[in-house]
Amino acid sequence: MYRILLADDEGIVTDALQFIIEKNFGDECETTVARNGRQAIELAESFQPDIAFLDIQMPGISGLKAMEEIRVINPRVKILILTAYDNFEYAKEALRLGAADYLMKPVSREVIAKRLTAIMHDIDCDRQKRRDALVAKEKMEAVIPIIENGFVVSLLMQNEYVDSGKQYRDLLDLKEDYGSIMVLEWGESGREGAMGNPVGSGIRAHRYYDKMSELIKVYFKASVSNIMGNKIVCVIPFESGKMEYASRLRMIEKARNLVSSLKNTVGIDFKAGIGSVRPWESAFDSYQEALNALRHGKRKVTHIDDLIVKDTVEKQRQVMEQVVLKAVLGGMEHDARQEAAVFAGWILKNESCTFEEARLQLAELALVARRQVAEQGGEGGNRSKAAGELFAAADREELRRRFVAAMEELAREAVIQNQKPDGVITRAQEYIRQNFRRDLALEEVAQKAGISPYYFSKLFKEEAGMNFTEYLTGLRIDMAKELLLNRELSIKQVCVDSGYANPNYFSRIFKKWTGITPTEFRDGIQDAGC
């Protein structure tokens, strides 16, 4: 559809134009008429034409003046100037203002149709370009979070084959040569600012990730990582490697406002740790500083420069080791992988630490983790090759990869070792049986079991022989069958008491599982004399 404005004080001209347009283009065009320049301007705003025919000599505001105003209102409109005057100055001014054509009256039907066809083709091309641009923008919006996460991870992994995320910076069009790392952590506020219940709060945060990411970008020009356990890592670019005191205060204030907005949006507590501004190749150090600020800062937002006492290297190593062990023993494979990679990167980056010394430190932690996993769940942890394979590593990168893989293996082993008659799945099944009548999500049960939703789902199916949804539905259908024996209860009441809120959905699920509707089931029992 093309909207066409016809502006001429002679009715015979506009009538003729309407006849030609209708004859040649039919329902493809919608037309409206203006009798003077003022009406043409008003209609350009309300009608939003794609094409406009303007007569130069109209009462009041001339066609050229109207054209100038219309171009301000709608820069994309294609304007054809009509005139009975063969005046070069008019033509030159019209072209200067962006007229698509300058036509002398009288104009033949063929010329009008030919010019409109050409202009419509141009409009179609412009529209297609805009559609293509929107599609490309939409695709880029979907890809950008992936690129940003890759950029963040490339800075944290300290991979010698990645040039400080340069390829990602090119894709993100980051011109700055420096950056600061800010780590956001959430949970339930505890003593001295420590965050508790990372699993439960993490489940809630996953649901709000998109809103969290949007809020972060409101306050900072930042690349945002995916959720890492109960943390998000933000990389904030800077043009200069030095941050003045006043700039630091402004950054802290923005972070405080961000933390407050996140809490209001998600409904859980947030903290932020901020590292110093460093060149991209040293961004990992800024990340370590941000973690230090998080772990030892007493306030909601702590900048590394505001810590009164900074950790010694040995104390920092001990803290990081405990974080790795906690992730492994909790059976949180993602967290174990992330924290192991961070710890290994920190150890291997220490220039005063030789390759053999680094290997020994990582092997010692692997042995401790293996022993604690074995103590926690029996003999399984002793089967792990956690430490042995580290001594086969040929270089630092291979050593890092093997250490991370070993911690992942031990985290999986920690979960498997809990599969006993009184293990997590048994406890989870009991929790489901007690709560199946209400809205119950896999994430909630996984939280009660103390393992990640991903591994809970996997292990539940292995142990129970069916997935979580099937198990939950089975309990509800069994309860519904029992309740249907009581004919005093309505189908709606049976639906609610079985854990369903929607009677129609309940009936569909019941029929899918039993082959008959709840009503047919009840009638069948009665017919059988039960």
Side-chain angles (χ1 to χ4, degrees):
M1 174 66 72
Y2 307 93
R3 292 188 296 273
I4 304 177
L5 169 64
L6 308 173
D8 198 302
D9 59 328
E10 298 182 59
I12 190 171
V13 174
T14 55
D15 289 345
L17 287 171
Q18 282 183 312
F19 175 79
I20 293 169
I21 292 168
E22 184 176 347
K23 187 73 173 176
N24 286 274
F25 303 101
D27 294 337
E28 289 184 61
C29 300
E30 179 184 356
T31 60
T32 190
V33 174
R35 298 301 181 192
N36 54 52
R38 178 182 60 78
Q39 287 183 5
I41 295 169
E42 291 172 349
L43 284 170
E45 188 166 9
S46 60
F47 183 64
Q48 287 292 306
D50 302 299
I51 303 169
F53 285 88
L54 297 180
D55 181 27
I56 286 184
Q57 296 296 329
M58 288 188 292
I61 300 174
S62 72
L64 291 178
K65 289 292 185 183
M67 177 181 173
E68 193 170 7
E69 292 291 331
I70 290 170
R71 295 286 293 176
V72 173
I73 297 169
N74 184 357
R76 289 199 295 265
V77 65
K78 307 290 185 182
I79 298 178
L80 295 91
I81 293 295
L82 295 173
T83 182
Y85 301 95
D86 187 8
N87 187 309
F88 176 71
E89 291 301 321
Y90 280 165
K92 187 169 69 173
E93 180 65 9
L95 293 174
R96 185 188 71 80
L97 293 172
D101 210 338
Y102 186 88
L103 305 174
M104 292 290 299
K105 295 179 182 179
V107 188
S108 70
R109 177 189 302 179
E110 291 76 16
V111 170
I112 294 290
K114 184 178 180 180
R115 291 303 301 131
L116 277 176
T117 299
I119 289 173
M120 288 173 181
H121 174 73
D122 292 342
I123 291 172
D124 289 341
C125 290
D126 290 344
R127 287 174 176 174
Q128 187 60 49
K129 287 178 182 177
R130 289 196 294 273
R131 283 194 293 268
D132 291 344
L134 286 173
V135 170
K137 183 177 181 181
E138 185 178 47
K139 289 181 179 178
M140 184 55 68
E141 288 296 322
V143 170
I144 282 177
I146 300 173
I147 298 174
E148 287 187 1
N149 183 64
F151 175 47
V152 175
V153 171
S154 72
L155 296 179
L156 304 190
M157 291 299 99
Q158 291 292 288
N159 190 328
E160 60 182 305
Y161 300 107
V162 180
D163 182 15
S164 303
K166 185 179 186 307
Q167 291 180 334
Y168 292 107
R169 296 204 308 276
D170 291 341
L171 290 171
L172 295 170
D173 196 29
L174 289 180
K175 307 298 184 185
E176 295 85 352
D177 295 323
Y178 304 88
S180 169
I181 303 293
M182 176 174 69
V183 179
L184 293 165
E185 183 182 37
W186 54 85
E188 298 174 1
S189 291
R191 189 176 60 182
E192 296 184 348
M195 289 295 188
N197 190 20
V199 176
S201 56
I203 293 169
R204 184 175 182 83
H206 270 85
R207 300 172 185 167
Y208 288 87
Y209 173 75
D210 290 340
K211 291 183 179 180
M212 290 162 60
S213 180
E214 288 175 10
L215 270 175
I216 292 168
K217 292 176 184 293
V218 167
Y219 289 93
F220 295 97
K221 176 191 173 184
S223 294
V224 181
S225 76
N226 292 338
I227 290 177
M228 300 178 176
N230 67 328
K231 298 180 183 67
I232 284 180
V233 180
C234 310
V235 178
I236 305 168
F238 283 86
E239 294 181 356
S240 170
K242 184 178 181 182
M243 179 182 286
E244 301 295 337
Y245 178 73
S247 299
R248 176 155 58 90
L249 291 184
R250 286 194 297 271
M251 186 177 185
I252 292 171
E253 185 60 30
K254 284 200 295 183
R256 284 175 179 162
N257 292 332
L258 169 61
V259 164
S260 177
S261 296
L262 288 170
K263 180 177 181 178
N264 291 335
T265 300
V266 185
I268 52 180
D269 293 314
F270 282 79
K271 286 182 66 177
I274 305 173
S276 58
V277 179
R278 293 178 178 271
W280 293 122
E281 57 269 20
S282 302
F284 182 80
D285 295 329
S286 182
Y287 174 60
Q288 288 301 318
E289 292 171 345
L291 291 179
N292 252 357
L294 262 183
R295 288 163 181 161
H296 304 294
K298 300 296 189 294
R299 299 181 179 181
K300 291 296 184 183
V301 177
T302 305
H303 192 285
I304 187 64
D305 291 341
D306 292 333
L307 283 181
I308 298 174
V309 179
K310 296 188 179 180
D311 290 335
T312 63
V313 173
E314 179 60 23
K315 183 178 179 182
Q316 186 174 357
R317 183 177 69 82
Q318 293 173 357
V319 170
M320 294 175 71
E321 285 180 344
Q322 290 304 311
V323 171
V324 175
L325 289 173
K326 182 178 179 181
V328 169
L329 295 175
M332 308 293 285
E333 183 184 0
H334 179 279
D335 289 7
R337 179 173 63 249
Q338 182 66 37
E339 297 297 347
V342 169
F343 179 68
W346 182 77
I347 291 290
L348 294 168
K349 188 176 175 63
N350 188 348
E351 296 179 355
S352 63
C353 184
T354 67
F355 177 66
E356 289 303 324
E357 289 171 339
R359 192 204 315 258
L360 184 59
Q361 290 187 52
L362 295 178
E364 287 176 348
L365 181 56
L367 286 169
V368 170
R370 187 180 72 172
R371 186 184 70 250
Q372 292 190 10
V373 168
E375 291 173 352
Q376 176 176 280
E379 296 299 321
N382 290 327
R383 295 195 296 268
S384 171
K385 304 175 183 177
E389 292 191 354
L390 300 185
F391 290 99
D395 54 39
R396 288 176 179 260
E397 177 56 25
E398 185 181 0
L399 177 60
R400 185 189 68 80
R401 288 199 305 269
R402 286 174 179 263
F403 177 74
V404 172
M407 295 301 102
E408 285 184 283
E409 178 190 350
L410 285 169
R412 287 192 292 269
E413 189 68 31
V415 178
I416 294 170
Q417 291 307 318
N418 282 321
Q419 298 310 297
K420 298 179 179 180
D422 60 345
V424 293
I425 299 304
T426 302
R427 294 197 302 273
Q429 289 173 321
E430 179 60 28
Y431 184 79
I432 297 169
R433 286 193 291 270
Q434 293 174 1
N435 295 276
F436 72 86
R437 293 177 182 83
R438 62 177 180 81
D439 186 20
L440 192 63
L442 181 146
E443 291 82 4
E444 178 186 340
V445 183
Q447 177 189 344
K448 290 294 181 182
I451 58 177
S452 71
Y454 171 79
Y455 274 108
F456 173 78
S457 177
K458 178 181 177 182
L459 292 169
F460 189 94
K461 187 168 186 178
E462 291 176 356
E463 181 76 10
M466 63 184 74
N467 64 34
F468 167 80
T469 302
E470 291 169 338
Y471 185 81
L472 176 62
T473 303
L475 289 175
R476 288 173 171 173
I477 296 301
D478 288 344
M479 174 56 69
K481 289 178 179 178
E482 184 178 334
L483 294 172
L484 286 168
L485 295 174
N486 183 354
R487 300 193 64 83
E488 294 182 1
L489 293 177
S490 66
I491 299 296
K492 184 176 181 180
Q493 187 62 49
V494 171
C495 162
V496 173
D497 291 347
S498 301
Y500 293 99
N502 186 313
N504 292 329
Y505 179 71
F506 164 65
S507 294
R508 289 199 303 273
I509 293 296
F510 191 92
K511 185 172 183 180
K512 181 178 179 181
W513 273 67
T514 66
I516 56 177
T517 67
T519 301
E520 291 170 339
F521 179 85
R522 172 174 277 175
D523 292 343
I525 293 172
Q526 185 179 26
D527 293 342
C530 298

